[in-house]
Amino acid sequence: MSAGNMRLTLKVWRQSNTDTQGGFENYNLDGVSPDMSFLEMFDILNEQLIEENKEPVAFDHDCREGICGMCSMFINGQPHGPLKGVTTCQLHMRSFQDGDTITVEPWRAAGFPVIKDLVVNRDGFDRIISAGGFVSVNTGNAQDANSLPIAKENADDAFAAAACIGCGACVAACKNASAMLFVSAKISQLALLPQGQAERSIRAEKMVAQMDAEGFGNCTNTHACSAECPKEISFENIARMNREYLGAKVSSKAV
Amino acid sequence: MATSSRLDARIPQGSLEDKWKKYKSSVPLVNPANKRNIEVIVVGTGLAGASAAATLAEMGYKVKAFCFQDSPRRAHSIAAQGGINAAKNYQNDGDSVHRLFYDTIKGGDYRSREANVHRLAEVSGNIIDQCVAQGVPFAREYGGLLSNRSFGGVQVQRTFYAAGQTGQQLLLGAYSGLQRQVGMGTIAMYNRHEMLDVVKIDGKCRGIIARNLITGELERHSAHAVLLCTGGYGNVFYLSTNAMGSNVTAAWKAHKRGAFFANPCFTQIHPTCIPVSGEHQSKLTLMSESLRNDGRIWVPKKQNDTRPGNEIPEEERDYYLERRYPAFGNLVPRDIASRAAKERCDAGYGVGSSKLAVFLDFSAAFHRYGQGEANKNNITNASEAQILEWGKAVVKEKYGNLFDMYKQITGEDPYEVPMRIYPAVHYTMGGLWVDYNLMTTVPGLYSLGEANFSDHGANRLGASALMQGLADGYFVIPITVGAYLAGEIRTGKISTDHEAFVQTEKEVKDRIEKLISIKGNTSPELFHRRLGKIMWDKCGMARNEKGLKEAIVEIRALREEFWKDVKVMGKIGDFNPELDKANRVADFIELGELMCIDALTRNESCGGHFREEYQTEEGEALRDDENFMFVSAWEHIATEKWELHKEDLVYDNIKIAQRSYK
Ligand SMILES: Cc1cc2nc3c(=O)[nH]c(=O)nc-3n(C[C@H](O)[C@H](O)[C@H](O)COP(=O)(O)OP(=O)(O)OC[C@H]3O[C@@H](n4cnc5c(N)ncnc54)[C@H](O)[C@@H]3O)c2cc1C
Ligand code: SF4
Ligand code: FES
């Protein structure tokens, strides 16, 4: 297959750094193939910009197979674009029409300041995990893996929650820029497993406290997060987290 | 042959089974009070780096960790799909430490070190224990116990997995351990930082120069030991299954500062990847080897058959792996499966528009699993359609995310038509030479995970890279690094004002300024593509003397052109992915040259290294144990100049044989 023949108009957010104002720039792009991924389409745009001696658009990406959580484009008003259950890097141009105008912006949230163009700072997510998203077990302390049978159902549910890639689309989708889906996914994973029991309360409390400290908003049950989540992390996790959190508050010693 | 005097592998004395045990009980220790004053830099936060950083911090060392992504959780290990091996023998199918050791040495075509591989097999079981304790949700059976699957080159089921997302779950486990220590203040995490050089003082590694990728500033970081856990260099081929950012820069900089580079030409081409679809392609996507548990590989018996796979009748299909290798069938090791696919396509039996693809077909599995479901539920009168539907549901549970990914990329539904697959660059067995302690030839500089050359010889078995990364990080380095650091307790804090830091930083700065100032006509991306094409055509799945000699000339010319004509947009003191890329491509070009030199020097075929001049009548790799039973360790002397050092491989415990999977 050779280069394709779709023509597009791209309206792309450009911003030099965190401290400056950004704005949209329009670009015309020819020769796009329906088999290209959205990011490969951006590769072509960037090569074109370089040829014109203009600075290419900065965007985050790495694995390009939907698992690292690095890519993060807000496309035509939706995080990761129009297709359900995929990341930006897995979106292909066959989801668009010849002649389309496509608007591309960074995640927008107080907790995710723009670094440059489409690149944002998601360090807050790491700090939330540091606050409690783990089981406190040092290397070398583990017992034989099969000495702890876990019902397949629980293991499967924990896995479903653990599939979160930490991309931040849930925050970008939410009008309150809430990080509840992300935080609840980790809390659920560990609450569903026996290994997570000992620190269950303190984990919920500390992670929620950190989430608030990072400037993420409240959840008002709009469900936009799980609708836009590329890994289809279930909204039920938020209900589970609320139970965990309330339970923790009742018996709170810390925080 | 004799091992070069510059290469002491420091393999402990004693019988194979006792070496590691004895070593552990006799290695010098660093007491807790001293540990607090000893700093360790860990570059890379994949399985190897994250597990090492977390464990060293737990032990009391002061750790700094670096990664170029925006979060340590995004290291490329996250993308590993199929599974992780361990000699647990939970399936009671005859597995043991010895069998895992043996399979790995044989799988590597007798080009790895016995002592290292045995240690790997010994600690493999503890890895699974550790991961489960962290809350890694491995797949389980209904009884609540862990589930296993088979991988290539092996006749037992020892692979643990979490759907097709094993790397993700293992890395998130290691990452949670790392973030826990970050929260406790024992690890300082530097994300969006790229290490650009190693700093040596009096012959010892004493730190690194890193670039803050947001501000563009260069930073000096000192430490008593530096661990490079920076992953593989498959992206030298431009197209590979690696992430876009995976690169060789850290290892290459270490190499140019005195660390020998071992077996650079040993590259793994993975047989089951989604074929290239066009010029625009930026990377290739793996379809996990675990699919070969259930998928059957075939091509039409007729050349140039253009019918869709599901319309070609059974008797007109050539299941060439089952035909050629009846004992292992679809589960032969990767190098063999890849070459067999290439052979069929070169002979005109390939499928798809490019003719560079073979089928990976699940219809038999749909049927088998569907029938199994019917039997389980005592349904005797199920229709064929129902059976297929149930079978598809079982397959979906095992490999759902892979099937979805295939559909996303190709636009075809693999539940309805067979997948089309073709080999692609996937993993690099070569890497920095390390001794038993995982130390490079530069004292104080270590290398872990895919970045080192240690355990996989000339071909890695599936599900063994995750095992090695976590073995190195959780269980090996925390012990072996003590042997060196015990001698460092009197060193004290290392000043970054030392002349060596100043000088090295200046060299890095000069190079960056040079890159920006060339203002040529060709983007780093285009240079990378051109390098990739040379490498794939002439140092890829099959190599020969003529092609390699041409490649070396072409790569040298490409390097000269690069430094005259590269066009790097943007500024130095800024977030600038083009500059990062230019830096990486420059190093890939130099590495490519060394890979070709290494391939040209190794006048034999073994594992992933297939020299067309050296093959059996049936087209299998023909090793030359007499002359090439050694590790090639290259010392960098000057531009275009390397010296070869040989480490002899001694097999005391394994009988060397022609590798056969028939
Ligand atoms: C698609 C795919 C599927 C795979 N599936 C399997 C599987 O099922 N089973 C299996 O065993 N193996 C599998 N592998 C292989 C395995 O995933 C890798 O070999 C392994 O994860 C490598 O781990 P690592 O820790 O060595 O490096 P990586 O995970 O690659 O991490 C490298 C780290 O180094 C950092 N880094 C690199 N350079 C620099 C620099 N200059 N400065 C700062 N930081 C730097 C990066 O930021 C990153 O944190 C797969 C590989 C691929 C590509
Ligand atoms: S919950 Fe979904 S959208 Fe939110 S970070 Fe995780 S994967 Fe991304
Ligand atoms: S680039 Fe990794 S998820 Fe998109």
Side-chain angles (χ1 to χ4, degrees):
Chain A
M1 239 167 307
S2 57
N5 47 16
M6 289 169 77
R7 290 159 160 258
L8 301 169
T9 305
L10 297 168
K11 229 178 116 183
V12 182
W13 185 263
R14 304 297 309 257
Q15 181 172 338
S16 303
N17 54 52
T18 313
D19 305 320
T20 52
Q21 277 282 323
F24 283 107
E25 293 271 349
N26 285 330
Y27 304 105
N28 293 320
L29 197 60
D30 290 354
V32 173
S33 147
D35 289 321
M36 280 176 194
S37 70
F38 201 82
L39 297 184
E40 285 167 348
M41 184 270 287
F42 258 78
D43 291 343
I44 296 190
L45 170 66
N46 276 347
E47 285 299 307
Q48 179 176 311
L49 290 174
I50 293 172
E51 221 156 277
E52 296 165 1
N53 288 319
K54 295 183 185 144
E55 215 183 312
V57 182
F59 62 92
D60 262 336
H61 65 111
D62 200 21
C63 73
R64 295 204 176 187
E65 45 189 63
I67 194 74
C68 73
M70 190 118 176
C71 62
S72 47
M73 291 187 188
F74 199 79
I75 303 164
N76 287 340
Q78 286 180 289
H80 296 304
L83 223 57
K84 230 183 121 44
V86 301
T87 52
T88 303
C89 60
Q90 291 178 298
L91 181 64
H92 281 69
M93 296 316 294
R94 62 181 89 90
S95 296
F96 298 86
Q97 302 285 321
D98 185 27
D100 276 359
T101 297
I102 307 175
T103 307
V104 188
E105 298 166 78
W107 287 174
R108 295 195 191 279
F112 291 158
V114 172
I115 292 176
K116 184 174 181 172
D117 298 339
L118 305 174
V119 176
V120 300
N121 182 332
R122 288 172 284 195
D123 292 357
F125 271 17
D126 289 330
R127 287 189 292 264
I128 293 173
I129 298 295
S130 278
F134 46 76
V135 174
S136 296
V137 52
N138 283 2
T139 303
N141 284 346
Q143 54 188 341
D144 182 80
N146 258 352
S147 62
L148 188 71
I150 298 173
K152 184 171 184 310
E153 222 174 75
N154 285 356
D156 288 352
D157 287 352
F159 171 74
C164 164
I165 57 175
C167 63
C170 44
V171 175
C174 175
K175 65 181 168 59
N176 309 318
S178 166
M180 289 282 262
L181 193 64
F182 166 77
V183 178
S184 69
K186 184 50 69 184
I187 288 181
S188 288
Q189 177 203 341
L190 297 176
L192 282 159
L193 296 171
Q195 302 92 308
Q197 297 311 307
E199 297 164 285
R200 197 165 163 175
S201 310
I202 187 110
R203 172 179 309 116
E205 279 191 76
K206 286 196 163 177
M207 289 181 76
V208 169
Q210 188 63 36
M211 171 178 83
D212 293 343
E214 296 290 343
F216 294 109
N218 288 324
C219 173
T220 51
N221 288 306
T222 66
H223 295 227
C225 54
S226 53
E228 296 292 351
C229 168
K231 296 293 134 180
E232 304 184 306
I233 299 294
S234 156
F235 197 78
E236 269 173 47
N237 289 304
I238 295 187
R240 189 179 293 110
M241 161 165 142
N242 284 332
R243 288 198 299 275
E244 293 291 313
Y245 182 67
L246 287 177
K249 272 291 169 203
V250 170
S251 59
S252 177
K253 290 185 211 72
V255 190
Chain B
M1 237 190 318
T3 295
S4 155
S5 60
R6 303 277 300 278
L7 295 174
D8 179 0
R10 296 196 176 79
I11 296 168
Q13 298 298 317
S15 74
L16 189 64
E17 289 74 18
D18 291 335
K19 283 183 198 293
W20 180 235
K21 281 188 211 105
K22 280 202 185 136
Y23 177 100
K24 277 196 293 185
S25 55
S26 60
V27 69
L29 299 176
V30 181
N31 84 30
N34 285 329
K35 280 195 191 118
R36 281 194 288 277
N37 299 320
I38 290 193
E39 296 189 74
V40 181
I41 284 176
V42 180
V43 187
T45 59
L47 288 181
S51 59
T55 307
L56 292 170
E58 286 162 15
M59 292 166 75
Y61 293 109
K62 273 171 81 173
V63 177
K64 285 183 176 179
F66 293 78
C67 70
F68 63 75
Q69 291 93 344
D70 73 326
S71 163
R73 66 180 288 154
R74 308 204 201 284
H76 185 50
S77 294
I78 200 89
Q81 301 173 347
I84 175 166
N85 289 330
K88 281 287 199 187
N89 194 28
Y90 283 162
Q91 305 304 323
N92 194 26
D93 53 5
D95 202 7
S96 64
V97 166
H98 186 82
R99 193 178 289 276
L100 173 52
F101 157 73
Y102 174 81
D103 287 345
T104 307
I105 297 260
K106 176 184 172 196
D109 218 354
Y110 307 95
R111 290 293 176 267
S112 45
R113 240 187 238 149
E114 277 193 341
N116 285 53
V117 176
H118 198 272
R119 175 177 65 189
L120 175 67
E122 280 174 72
V123 303
S124 66
N126 292 341
I127 296 172
I128 305 303
D129 303 340
Q130 180 64 25
C131 296
V132 166
Q134 289 168 337
V136 170
F138 283 118
R140 287 178 183 268
E141 305 293 349
Y142 282 99
L145 301 180
L146 292 164
S147 175
N148 290 115
R149 53 168 58 142
S150 309
F151 258 58
V154 172
Q155 286 169 318
V156 294
Q157 292 199 323
R158 65 160 76 99
T159 306
F160 295 78
Y161 65 99
Q165 286 149 257
T166 316
Q168 180 197 28
Q169 295 309 319
L170 295 173
L171 183 60
L172 292 182
Y175 158 79
S176 72
L178 179 134
Q179 289 302 132
R180 174 173 160 241
Q181 296 299 323
V182 171
M184 291 159 74
T186 53
I187 297 179
M189 182 66 224
Y190 294 82
N191 58 351
R192 292 204 198 265
H193 273 66
E194 185 136 316
M195 176 199 127
L196 293 180
D197 218 332
V198 164
V199 179
K200 270 167 72 179
I201 300 177
D202 299 333
K204 285 181 175 176
C205 176
R206 291 302 193 189
I208 63 169
I209 304 295
R211 182 167 180 271
N212 176 328
L213 299 182
I214 297 179
T215 63
E217 272 162 280
L218 295 181
E219 298 172 3
R220 305 173 193 170
H221 296 272
S222 65
H224 299 88
V226 173
L227 319 184
L228 300 184
C229 316
T230 45
Y233 51 83
N235 276 350
V236 65
F237 290 90
Y238 184 73
L239 285 181
S240 86
T241 62
N242 288 7
M244 300 300 286
S246 300
N247 70 87
V248 76
T249 290
W252 196 251
K253 288 295 150 52
H255 175 53
K256 293 183 81 173
R257 296 273 174 209
F260 293 4
F261 210 104
N263 300 334
C265 83
F266 286 174
T267 316
Q268 177 159 85
I269 316 276
H270 196 296
T272 56
C273 301
I274 300 179
V276 177
S277 79
E279 277 293 313
H280 58 266
Q281 195 124 3
S282 58
K283 73 155 282 163
L284 293 170
T285 302
L286 174 75
M287 288 286 106
S288 166
E289 175 159 312
S290 58
L291 293 172
R292 286 199 271 144
N293 268 300
D294 285 314
R296 298 176 71 197
I297 294 179
W298 62 275
V299 291
K301 282 188 179 158
K302 222 169 56 201
Q303 281 169 326
N304 291 317
D305 195 334
T306 52
R307 288 174 292 176
N310 50 355
E311 287 174 21
I312 300 178
E314 192 58 33
E315 60 280 4
E316 292 177 43
R317 302 177 174 193
D318 174 16
Y319 295 92
Y320 58 87
L321 288 177
E322 297 169 30
R323 168 169 61 77
R324 286 178 65 179
Y325 307 99
F328 282 70
N330 291 293
L331 283 173
V332 290
R334 293 175 176 177
D335 53 334
I336 292 178
S338 289
R339 275 197 293 278
K342 179 178 190 305
E343 187 276 328
R344 282 292 81 188
C345 293
D346 289 351
Y349 296 91
V351 299
S353 57
S354 66
K355 299 282 164 211
L356 287 176
V358 300
F359 288 125
L360 175 61
D361 191 339
F362 290 85
S363 42
F366 294 151
H367 192 87
R368 189 174 75 246
Y369 285 123
Q371 193 61 55
E373 290 298 293
N375 296 348
K376 240 195 275 176
N377 297 309
N378 283 325
I379 303 172
T380 49
N381 57 351
S383 69
E384 181 59 26
Q386 265 175 327
I387 288 184
L388 280 183
E389 194 182 313
W390 293 329
K392 284 176 188 173
V394 174
V395 168
K396 190 177 167 105
E397 182 172 331
K398 291 190 148 186
Y399 314 111
N401 70 318
L402 300 173
F403 275 56
D404 291 348
M405 199 145 75
Y406 183 87
K407 187 170 174 197
Q408 244 340 291
I409 292 172
T410 62
E412 288 176 7
D413 182 359
Y415 291 103
E416 300 306 322
V417 295
M419 288 184 182
R420 285 174 297 110
I421 49 151
Y422 197 67
V425 174
H426 177 62
Y427 181 88
T428 47
M429 282 74 70
L432 292 174
W433 184 90
V434 289
D435 64 14
Y436 189 75
N437 298 332
L438 305 182
M439 186 147 87
T440 68
T441 45
V442 175
L445 180 66
Y446 291 78
S447 182
L448 284 63
E450 191 173 339
N452 74 25
F453 88 107
S454 65
D455 297 342
H456 308 292
N459 173 58
R460 175 176 68 80
L461 290 180
S464 285
L466 302 183
M467 170 174 70
Q468 182 222 330
L470 290 180
D472 288 359
Y474 281 134
F475 297 109
V476 177
I477 199 73
I479 294 186
T480 60
V481 80
Y484 177 77
L485 291 177
E488 289 290 328
I489 52 176
R490 281 177 203 85
T491 306
K493 182 142 182 80
I494 298 155
S495 165
T496 53
D497 294 332
H498 189 283
E499 179 53 29
F501 275 95
V502 177
Q503 181 58 30
T504 311
E505 184 187 305
K506 181 173 180 308
E507 287 170 27
V508 172
K509 185 160 167 270
D510 290 349
R511 166 158 147 149
I512 290 176
E513 280 169 0
K514 175 92 200 281
L515 282 170
I516 287 268
S517 68
I518 296 170
K519 298 198 188 318
N521 295 306
T522 310
S523 66
E525 173 76 9
L526 292 179
F527 277 110
H528 194 184
R529 270 181 202 266
R530 282 167 60 192
L531 172 68
K533 183 159 168 42
I534 301 172
M535 294 301 293
W536 179 247
D537 289 346
K538 297 182 171 161
C539 195
M541 246 190 297
R543 302 149 175 194
N544 60 52
E545 183 180 343
K546 180 168 166 289
L548 288 166
K549 284 185 168 158
E550 289 165 2
I552 292 167
V553 174
E554 289 167 34
I555 293 169
R556 287 177 177 166
L558 190 72
R559 190 189 69 239
E560 296 202 348
E561 193 185 330
F562 177 92
W563 285 103
K564 285 198 192 101
D565 193 41
V566 73
K567 178 176 184 177
V568 184
M569 301 299 297
K571 293 190 282 288
I572 294 179
D574 200 359
F575 187 90
N576 187 347
E578 283 300 304
L579 179 57
D580 307 340
K581 171 122 213 218
N583 243 320
R584 294 169 186 172
V585 172
D587 293 334
F588 275 138
I589 294 176
E590 294 180 14
L591 164 75
E593 181 183 338
L594 180 62
M595 288 171 72
C596 294
I597 292 174
D598 187 43
L600 185 62
T601 310
R602 192 167 277 278
N603 287 322
E604 65 161 350
S605 294
C606 59
H609 169 63
F610 191 72
R611 280 281 301 270
E612 285 167 344
E613 303 93 323
Y614 308 101
Q615 50 181 312
T616 65
E617 267 171 29
E618 299 97 49
E620 306 293 347
L622 189 61
R623 281 197 335 257
D624 178 354
D625 291 339
E626 189 95 7
N627 295 302
F628 290 94
M629 192 106 97
F630 61 80
V631 176
S632 301
W634 296 91
E635 178 183 11
H636 185 259
I637 308 287
T639 306
E640 298 182 6
K641 198 156 178 259
W642 283 271
E643 188 179 326
L644 174 62
H645 299 265
K646 298 175 182 175
E647 178 198 340
D648 291 342
L649 291 166
V650 183
Y651 293 95
D652 292 327
N653 299 276
I654 272 190
K655 205 172 137 303
I656 309 296
Q658 158 96 7
R659 203 169 53 140
S660 167
Y661 293 92
K662 295 185 192 277

